[in-house]
């Protein structure tokens, strides 16, 4: 529901009449359901898929975006000795390392599952 609410204004923006907007909205909803169905079929072990989504989105939303938003908010006042900049950089690097290692680990687990069925 949340991705739909975020993406639907972009999808319907290019249509003028209410009827074509409605058709575009229903088509988009149908495509989202079919995409979810395709994911469910292609990855029968849903735990692996959830692990991949968690590695990508959780590290991004919890560790990468907040320091970047803080830097944008307080720029150019980064504090004495630029501590806000240093703190944000360390947290972002930690988040990027978690993002990369978690994603690689999840993809390897998915490949292993398809290759060996375990």
């Amino acid at each position: 529901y949340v991705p739909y609410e975020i993406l639907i204004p972009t999808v319907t923006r290019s249509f003028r009449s209410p009827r074509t907007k409605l058709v575009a909205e229903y088509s988009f909803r149908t495509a989202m359901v079919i995409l979810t169905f395709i994911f469910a079929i292609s990855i029968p072990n849903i735990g692996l898929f959830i692990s991949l989504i968690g590695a990508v989105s959780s590290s991004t939303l919890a560790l990468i975006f907040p320091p970047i938003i803080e830097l944008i908010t307080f720029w150019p006042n980064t504090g004495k000795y630029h501590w806000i900049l240093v703190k944000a950089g360390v947290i972002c690097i930690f988040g990027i390392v978690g993002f990369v290692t978690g994603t690689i680990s999840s993809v390897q687990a998915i490949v292993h599952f398809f290759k060996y069925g375990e």
Side-chain angles (χ1 to χ4, degrees):
Y1 188 75
V2 173
Y4 169 79
E5 288 295 326
I6 292 171
L7 295 173
I8 198 63
T10 306
V11 171
T12 59
R13 183 178 303 140
S14 59
F15 299 99
R16 300 284 180 226
S17 73
R19 179 168 162 50
T20 55
K21 282 188 181 200
L22 187 64
V23 169
E25 183 177 342
Y26 284 144
S27 299
F28 182 70
R29 283 179 184 244
T30 304
M32 295 276 285
V33 169
I34 290 171
L35 182 67
T36 304
F37 181 72
I38 289 171
F39 282 148
I41 288 175
S42 42
I43 303 177
N45 187 345
I46 194 70
L48 297 174
F49 182 66
I50 290 172
S51 172
L52 178 62
I53 296 300
V56 171
S57 61
S58 295
S59 59
T60 305
L61 290 174
L63 295 171
I64 298 173
F65 284 158
I68 292 172
I69 292 170
E70 182 183 29
L71 278 176
I72 291 170
T73 303
F74 293 114
W75 192 262
N77 300 325
T78 56
K80 188 176 184 181
Y81 306 115
H82 301 289
W83 286 114
I84 294 175
L85 182 63
V86 171
K87 177 187 72 167
V90 169
I91 294 172
C92 277
I93 290 170
F94 183 73
I96 290 170
V97 168
F99 171 84
V100 170
T101 57
T103 302
I104 289 172
S105 174
S106 295
V107 169
Q108 285 176 339
I110 291 170
V111 169
H112 181 76
F113 178 79
F114 279 115
K115 193 172 185 179
Y116 300 109
E118 299 174 1

